[in-house]
């Protein structure tokens, strides 16, 4: 297992309209969650090219979160459906290359779900802590 | 290309303390010293409030002095201050889209308040990620589009009517769309209004008439929104005009029937053999298959309920030469173009039978407040005589159950306060004291929330008139099977003792919930909702009428429970907001649209199927097939760019090299 000082490196690619706003709402409400996740904002999860995620794992990410609007709630009608399909496919690719597919997660958090954002953050960090460092970390270094 | 650009970048980083909001958790000095070591950063500064004038001046001055190519501000959230800092960037002579924000408050200092060291590390990463993106940002020019000089209001209750009247009076052609056959909404079902005790219909009907007569309002009753396309300034709204089966005089004339069309005489309803419950009277009065809800409807045009019509043709016969009735009518789809839209979708009463312990729909003499309104109203089914549904007797002891389903965290309730039940229950208490000699209202309450102008005074008045107040939520209600009287069981929490009170009638001040159409309509317009289903405003304090969809505004209860004065006030605010783009004549759209990199495009056309807006197409250019973007249709979601197998789609401001640079900066950047 990893050494005691290991901290997970997790990147979250989140949509501007729902999850980013939900994350801001969690801030306004001072909902506390673990500080291990760094966010990249895109306008829609539909923007997320699976290659971004593979690049993140190649760079040594221990986990990747993609978070968008609830189905039917997408600011751009259906970007989140398309993202979800891609993530589903990508998970099987990850499995094939020997990476636990739990390291990639897609969630749906609306602009009014600050508390849910906190729960998602806590849960993602917990999952990655259980999985330990990515086997690709050594390759990345 | 990107590498050259990256090398030439000169970035200025500005750290905001936000008082102690950020600096109280994050070690700003440590972040500042760290930022100086990030590649491309040439100047780092910090200030108590970057959004203040001196803070903004620091940005503008640094751009001029240091010849910067990009700006990073680490502060609150781009959802709050991106426009501010873009303006500051522009003030320094740099293209405003060369600005990137690092969120170190809402998504850092506020959510890691007890972990200052980790929060500081996260802030360093956030700055590094933002610098990586800022190094690759480009000049972008927003496109201006003309705004259609028309507006739409969806919902013809008091809020929708007020919004439509204001828009129309400001000279804007307005479509007022109402799903039911008449405008008026919930307010037209009420008897009196608190605290003035104005007759609801008396103050409402003049507005209904104004709406009907206003030349700038095109009233579309019995019509629903079917589809919405486009964006601010240019919405194409498809409407379903439901088959009404009755022609207006104008429609009759268009068909060449001189002097024909419905006059509202009612001869048809008299001969109609079908009897159905009238939903306006909550089923407590009958209507025919050809009907109007009540005598004051606007427009005064009958409607055929094709679900119950037996097509006997008696109505057609009785209508005679007016030839107003067409039993073969079909739904009609029309499309109108509008610049802005206001949603005023109203509310429904929560199905309070879900709170089975109070026995609504099980016990005859348990009614809802809206049923009480109809029973006490002079134009209601009983002519204003309050009676017990079980035996028609006049009740003397009447219990009012407040917070019925509201402020209720159980699965069968709503957690929010419905906001007007306290006040209308006080009004109900007054009405029975006034109308029924010797009657006593017993009000079971949790708190009396009489917060508005002259509301508290009204509360005192009702107390003095003899209403009895018992603080405690009603646990359950049982019925005496013989007398049909009701036993109300509660705890009087002020006296600390249980109560079993026998009463003649119980009125449940039921919670409210978003109207049935809200969910469908909000999705058509791309408006978010809160967990309770109420529509989400752009900002709860500073933009309560706007939504995150530009050009769509909210009025009335659909945004959250509110009484008539607040609904009308918000409607006027929404009308004002909706008229601004129209009067301005054009709006700027964020230039985030897709660009095809034609040398990389293989012309496979996969992206065309990804686009939800049909903005992409394949064209022949220089002897090969490439993708073409119709900029006016592209909204910049990037779904095509996330899919293109050849990396041939450049999403402006969210381009793949920019996003990859952010990922690399986080995961590799710290060690370079």
């Amino acid at each position: 297992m990893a050494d005691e000082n290991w901290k997970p490196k997790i990147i979250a690619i989140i949509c501007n309209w729902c999850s980013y706003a939900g994350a801001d709402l969690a801030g306004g409400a001072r909902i506390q969650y673990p500080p291990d996740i760094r966010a990249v904002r895109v306008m829609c999860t539909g923007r997320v090219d699976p290659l971004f995620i593979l690049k993140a794992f190649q760079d040594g990410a221990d986990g990747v979160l993609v978070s968008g609007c609830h189905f039917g709630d997408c600011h751009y009608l259906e970007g989140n459906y398309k993202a979800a399909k891609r993530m589903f496919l990508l998970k099987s690719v990850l499995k094939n290359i020997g990476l636990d597919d739990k390291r990639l997660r897609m969630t749906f958090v609306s602009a009014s779900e600050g508390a849910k954002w906190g729960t998602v953050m806590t849960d993602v960090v917990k999952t990655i802590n259980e999985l330990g460092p990515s086997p690709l970390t050594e390759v990345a270094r | 290309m990107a590498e050259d650009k990256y090398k030439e970048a000169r970035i200025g980083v500005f750290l905001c303390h936000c008082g102690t909001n950020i600096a109280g958790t994050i070690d700003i000095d440590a972040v500042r010293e760290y930022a100086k070591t990030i590649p491309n950063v040439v100047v780092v500064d910090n200030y108590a409030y970057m959004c203040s004038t001196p803070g903004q001046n620091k940005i503008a001055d640094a751009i001029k002095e240091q010849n910067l190519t990009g700006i990073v501000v680490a502060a609150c959230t781009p959802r709050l201050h991106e426009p501010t800092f873009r303006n500051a960037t522009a003030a320094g002579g740099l293209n405003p889209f060369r600005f990137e924000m690092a969120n170190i408050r809402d998504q850092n200092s506020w959510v890691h308040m007890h972990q200052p060291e980790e929060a500081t590390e996260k802030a360093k990463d956030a700055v590094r990620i933002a610098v990586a993106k800022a190094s690759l940002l480009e000049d972008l020019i927003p496109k201006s589009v003309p705004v259609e000089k028309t507006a739409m209001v969806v919902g013809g209750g008091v809020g929708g009517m007020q919004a439509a009247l204001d828009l129309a009076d400001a000279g804007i052609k307005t479509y007022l769309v109402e799903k039911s056959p008449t405008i008026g909404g919930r307010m037209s079902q009420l008897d009196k209004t608190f605290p003035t005790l104005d007759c609801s219909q008396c103050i409402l009907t003049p507005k209904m008439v104004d709406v009907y007569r206003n030349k700038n309002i095109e009233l579309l009753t019995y019509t629903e929104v079917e589809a919405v396309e486009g964006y601010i300034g240019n919405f194409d709204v498809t409407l379903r005009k439901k088959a009404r089966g009755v022609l207006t005089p104008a429609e009759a004339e268009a068909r060449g029937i001189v002097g024909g069309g419905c006059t509202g005489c009612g001869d048809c309803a008299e001969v109609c053999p079908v009897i159905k419950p009238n939903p306006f009277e909550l089923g407590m009065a009958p209507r025919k298959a050809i009907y109007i809800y009540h005598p004051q409807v606007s427009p005064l045009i009958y409607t055929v309920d094709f679900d119950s019509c037996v097509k006997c043709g008696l109505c057609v016969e009785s209508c005679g030469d007016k030839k107003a009735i067409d039993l073969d009518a079909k739904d009609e789809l029309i499309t109108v173009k509008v610049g802005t839209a206001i949603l005023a979708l109203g509310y429904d009463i929560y199905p309070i039978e879900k709170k089975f312990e109070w026995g609504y729909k099980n016990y005859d003499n348990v009614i809802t407040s809206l049923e009480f309104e109809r029973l006490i109203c002079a134009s209601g089914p009983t002519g204003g005589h309050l009676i017990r549904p079980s035996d028609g007797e006049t009740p003397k002891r009447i219990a009012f159950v407040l917070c019925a389903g509201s402020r209720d965290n159980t699965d069968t309730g709503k957690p929010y306060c419905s906001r007007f039940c306290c006040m209308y229950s006080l009004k109900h208490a007054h009405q029975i004291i006034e109308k029924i000699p010797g009657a006593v209202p017993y009000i079971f309450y949790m708190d009396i929330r009489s917060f508005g102008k002259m509301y508290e005074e009204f509360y005192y008045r009702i107390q003095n008139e003899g209403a009895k107040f018992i603080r405690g939520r009603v646990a359950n209600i049982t019925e005496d099977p013989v007398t049909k009287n009701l036993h109300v069981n509660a705890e009087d929490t002020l006296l600390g003792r249980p109560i079993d009170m026998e009463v003649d009638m119980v009125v449940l001040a039921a919670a409210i919930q978003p109207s049935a159409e809200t969910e469908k309509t909000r999705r058509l317009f791309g408006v978010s909702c809160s967990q309770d289903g109420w529509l989400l405003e752009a900002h709860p304090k500073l933009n309560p009428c706007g939504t995150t969809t530009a050009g769509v505004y909210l009025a009335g209860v659909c945004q959250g429970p509110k009484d008539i004065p607040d609904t009308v006030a918000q409607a006027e605010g929404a009308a004002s907001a909706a008229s601004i783009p129209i009067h301005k004549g054009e709006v700027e759209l964020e230039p985030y649209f897709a660009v095809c990199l034609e040398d990389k495009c293989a012309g496979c056309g996969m992206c065309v199927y990804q686009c939800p807006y049909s903005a992409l197409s394949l064209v022949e250019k220089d002897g090969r097939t490439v993708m073409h973007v119709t900029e006016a249709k592209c909204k910049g979601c990037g779904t095509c760019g996330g899919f293109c197998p050849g990396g041939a789609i450049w999403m402006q401001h969210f381009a793949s090299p920019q996003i990859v640079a952010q990922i690399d900066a986080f995961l590799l950047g710290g060690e370079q």
Side-chain angles (χ1 to χ4, degrees):
Chain A
M1 258 318 265
D3 66 90
E4 280 171 22
N5 295 324
W6 175 75
K7 286 270 177 196
K9 284 190 163 220
I10 305 168
I11 193 155
I13 308 180
I14 57 181
C15 86
N16 179 64
W17 303 101
C18 293
S19 289
Y20 199 91
D24 282 348
L25 191 69
R30 308 299 194 276
I31 289 164
Q32 305 294 302
Y33 54 79
D36 301 304
I37 300 179
R38 308 290 182 262
V40 168
R41 180 172 70 119
V42 289
M43 294 312 276
C44 177
T45 48
R47 176 70 193 94
V48 181
D49 189 326
L51 292 175
F52 296 164
I53 293 162
L54 291 175
K55 185 72 170 73
F57 282 120
Q58 192 186 349
D59 286 355
D62 299 306
V64 177
L65 169 71
V66 175
S67 190
C69 308
H70 288 281
F71 287 142
D73 244 6
C74 178
H75 191 76
Y76 304 102
L77 310 177
E78 51 196 48
N80 54 353
Y81 284 98
K82 284 167 180 157
K85 273 167 84 174
R86 290 173 201 164
M87 295 313 123
F88 192 68
L89 192 67
L90 190 56
K91 271 176 166 281
S92 65
V93 172
L94 294 181
K95 267 196 249 181
N96 277 326
I97 61 171
L99 214 55
D100 194 318
D101 70 344
K102 287 204 285 291
R103 291 186 186 278
L104 169 63
R105 177 133 165 216
M106 182 159 188
T107 58
F108 308 95
V109 178
S110 81
S112 65
E113 294 177 327
K116 184 177 173 189
W117 179 254
T119 313
V120 165
M121 292 283 98
T122 308
D123 200 53
V124 167
V125 172
K126 182 169 166 272
T127 305
I128 303 300
N129 269 322
E130 283 166 8
L131 289 170
S134 161
L136 293 177
T137 310
E138 288 308 310
V139 185
R141 299 268 148 102
Chain B
M1 188 185 79
E3 280 150 28
D4 291 346
K5 194 175 157 53
Y6 186 79
K7 279 181 199 154
E8 290 162 11
R10 294 173 60 80
I11 308 297
V13 174
F14 299 87
L15 309 167
C16 180
H17 301 197
C18 196
T20 58
N21 278 311
I22 294 170
T25 303
I26 291 168
D27 181 348
I28 295 283
D29 289 339
V31 179
R32 188 186 60 224
E33 293 312 309
Y34 172 76
K36 288 177 182 168
T37 69
I38 301 173
N40 295 341
V41 173
V42 292
V43 54
V44 183
D45 205 347
N46 57 306
Y47 192 65
Y49 295 100
M50 281 310 301
C51 57
S52 65
T53 305
Q56 293 186 52
N57 288 344
K58 274 176 182 286
I59 297 171
D61 293 346
I63 293 169
K64 288 173 197 153
E65 286 161 17
Q66 301 282 341
N67 197 23
L68 301 177
T69 64
I71 296 297
V72 168
V73 175
C76 45
T77 162
R79 294 176 54 84
L80 197 63
H81 267 313
E82 191 173 61
T84 312
F85 296 124
R86 276 189 177 160
N87 286 337
T89 305
L94 205 56
N95 183 282
F97 292 92
R98 286 177 171 270
F99 162 78
E100 177 69 13
M101 197 148 177
N103 186 327
I104 61 165
R105 190 189 73 175
D106 297 46
Q107 296 183 25
N108 190 337
S109 65
W110 277 353
V111 291
H112 312 308
M113 297 176 87
H114 313 299
Q115 292 164 286
E117 278 170 30
E118 287 89 342
T120 303
E121 288 309 306
K122 185 173 173 177
K124 287 178 184 174
D125 285 350
V127 170
R128 192 170 72 241
I129 292 168
V131 169
K133 180 161 183 188
S135 299
L136 293 173
L137 289 175
E138 306 173 300
D139 288 358
L140 295 175
I141 311 294
K143 53 182 175 183
S144 280
V145 292
V147 176
E148 189 72 28
K149 298 212 173 289
T150 53
M152 174 174 287
V153 178
V154 185
V158 65
M161 289 197 294
Q162 185 65 49
L165 282 170
D166 282 9
L167 286 166
D169 288 346
I172 297 164
K173 156 107 182 173
T174 305
Y175 298 95
L176 178 56
V177 179
E178 165 60 42
K179 66 171 192 305
S180 73
T182 174
I183 52 172
R186 289 281 169 218
M187 190 176 165
S188 62
Q189 289 179 292
L190 309 181
D191 179 34
K192 298 283 189 291
T193 56
F194 61 79
T196 52
L197 300 173
D198 285 319
C199 155
S200 186
Q201 280 281 33
C202 308
I203 56 177
L204 187 69
T205 44
K207 269 202 196 304
M208 292 165 67
V209 173
D210 283 353
V211 167
Y212 187 62
R213 293 224 171 115
N214 196 307
K215 288 193 166 50
N216 276 337
I217 295 178
E218 186 167 336
L219 182 56
L220 296 159
T221 50
Y222 213 45
T223 300
E224 284 176 7
V225 180
E226 188 81 5
V228 182
E229 276 180 35
Y231 47 91
I232 179 171
N234 298 276
F235 290 107
D236 289 307
V237 185
T238 306
L239 301 169
R240 177 178 293 272
K241 289 179 83 171
K242 290 182 281 186
R244 190 165 196 148
V246 179
L247 303 176
T248 64
E251 286 166 344
E253 205 174 305
R255 289 197 188 184
I257 308 164
V258 181
C262 182
T263 59
C265 67
D267 290 349
C268 50
E270 225 150 87
V271 296
C272 178
V274 181
I275 293 177
K276 285 277 163 185
N278 185 353
F280 181 82
E281 302 290 1
L282 307 168
M284 295 185 294
R287 69 158 164 80
K288 298 296 184 68
I290 186 163
Y291 66 97
I292 52 170
Y293 275 166
H294 59 90
Q296 287 144 302
V297 292
S298 179
L300 181 52
I301 304 289
Y302 274 72
T303 304
V304 178
D305 170 15
F306 282 105
D307 290 337
S308 57
C309 173
V310 294
K311 302 216 172 175
C312 62
L314 286 173
C315 53
V316 181
E317 229 168 79
S318 73
C319 192
D321 289 343
K322 294 198 289 290
K323 293 183 181 162
I325 301 169
D326 172 11
L327 293 180
D328 297 318
K330 294 272 175 295
D331 287 6
E332 198 185 323
L333 292 179
I334 58 167
T335 301
V336 296
K337 211 170 178 56
V338 296
T340 54
I342 295 173
L343 304 184
L345 306 173
Y347 66 94
D348 283 341
I349 301 294
Y350 177 71
I352 197 64
E353 59 272 23
K354 286 190 185 173
K355 304 295 290 184
F356 63 90
E357 61 268 36
W358 296 326
Y360 178 66
K361 286 200 174 165
N362 228 345
Y363 305 147
D364 292 345
N365 295 328
V366 177
I367 64 170
T368 66
S369 296
L370 199 56
E371 287 168 341
F372 181 94
E373 291 282 352
R374 294 315 302 154
L375 290 175
I376 202 84
C377 180
S379 67
T382 56
H385 298 288
L386 182 67
I387 54 164
R388 275 159 47 107
S390 68
D391 51 16
E393 292 294 316
T394 303
K396 293 278 181 177
R397 299 163 299 176
I398 303 169
F400 291 87
V401 179
L402 270 57
C403 299
S406 305
R407 305 174 69 195
D408 181 338
N409 282 318
T410 66
D411 290 346
T412 50
K414 298 286 181 185
Y416 49 82
C417 166
S418 295
R419 245 175 142 240
F420 45 63
C421 331
C422 283
M423 289 307 296
Y424 70 57
S425 294
L426 293 176
K427 174 193 74 183
H428 290 168
H430 165 82
Q431 284 176 296
I432 58 171
I433 292 169
E434 184 184 70
K435 283 200 169 185
I436 307 171
V440 184
Y442 296 94
I443 298 177
F444 291 84
Y445 70 102
M446 302 208 326
D447 306 282
I448 293 291
R449 296 186 166 178
S450 52
F451 50 83
K453 190 176 181 181
M454 298 301 285
Y455 288 10
E456 190 70 8
E457 293 88 332
F458 187 69
Y459 177 26
Y460 292 144
R461 174 179 167 184
I462 306 309
Q463 285 176 329
N464 292 332
E465 283 177 357
K468 304 288 179 218
F469 291 80
I470 300 137
R471 204 190 83 173
R473 184 179 236 157
V474 173
N476 73 331
I477 294 169
T478 53
E479 185 186 56
D480 184 324
V482 179
T483 61
K484 300 282 181 185
N485 285 351
L486 301 153
H487 286 268
V488 179
N489 295 299
E491 182 192 344
D492 185 329
T493 56
L494 292 179
L495 296 178
R497 65 178 189 205
I499 289 178
D500 176 358
M501 182 185 287
E502 187 177 350
V503 294
D504 305 324
M505 184 181 236
V506 171
V507 182
L508 302 175
I512 58 167
Q513 63 183 16
S515 64
E517 300 72 27
T518 302
E519 184 62 15
K520 179 189 154 214
T521 312
R522 81 166 178 88
R523 290 195 169 181
L524 292 175
F525 280 94
V527 173
S528 305
C529 70
S530 60
Q531 275 145 301
D532 304 317
W534 303 113
L535 302 186
L536 203 61
E537 62 285 347
H539 191 282
K541 276 96 180 175
L542 303 178
N543 196 350
C545 300
T547 69
T548 51
T549 300
V552 180
Y553 308 88
L554 305 175
V557 181
C558 65
Q559 181 257 334
K562 50 180 75 65
D563 56 14
I564 295 167
D566 286 0
T567 292
V568 173
Q570 194 185 21
E572 299 208 279
S576 164
S579 69
I580 291 168
I582 291 172
H583 286 315
K584 225 167 149 189
E586 59 174 30
V587 283
E588 277 191 353
L589 302 181
E590 294 208 273
Y592 296 161
F593 49 84
V595 175
C596 176
L597 304 174
E598 288 172 4
D599 54 329
K600 286 187 179 174
C601 179
C604 69
M606 305 283 269
C607 53
V608 175
Y609 298 102
Q610 293 289 311
C611 180
Y613 302 106
S614 313
L616 312 181
S617 56
L618 291 179
V619 293
E620 293 297 320
K621 203 167 178 183
D622 303 331
R624 50 194 283 262
T625 306
V626 290
M627 185 270 276
H628 171 76
V629 182
T630 307
E631 284 179 12
K633 285 186 176 176
C634 176
K635 290 197 184 182
C637 62
T639 304
C640 56
F643 190 77
C644 178
I649 296 174
W650 184 268
M651 286 310 307
Q652 305 209 84
H653 211 67
F654 292 91
S656 298
Q658 294 165 352
I659 295 173
V660 171
Q662 288 177 287
I663 295 169
D664 287 351
F666 165 43
L667 295 159
L668 306 173
E671 291 164 18
Q672 271 178 350

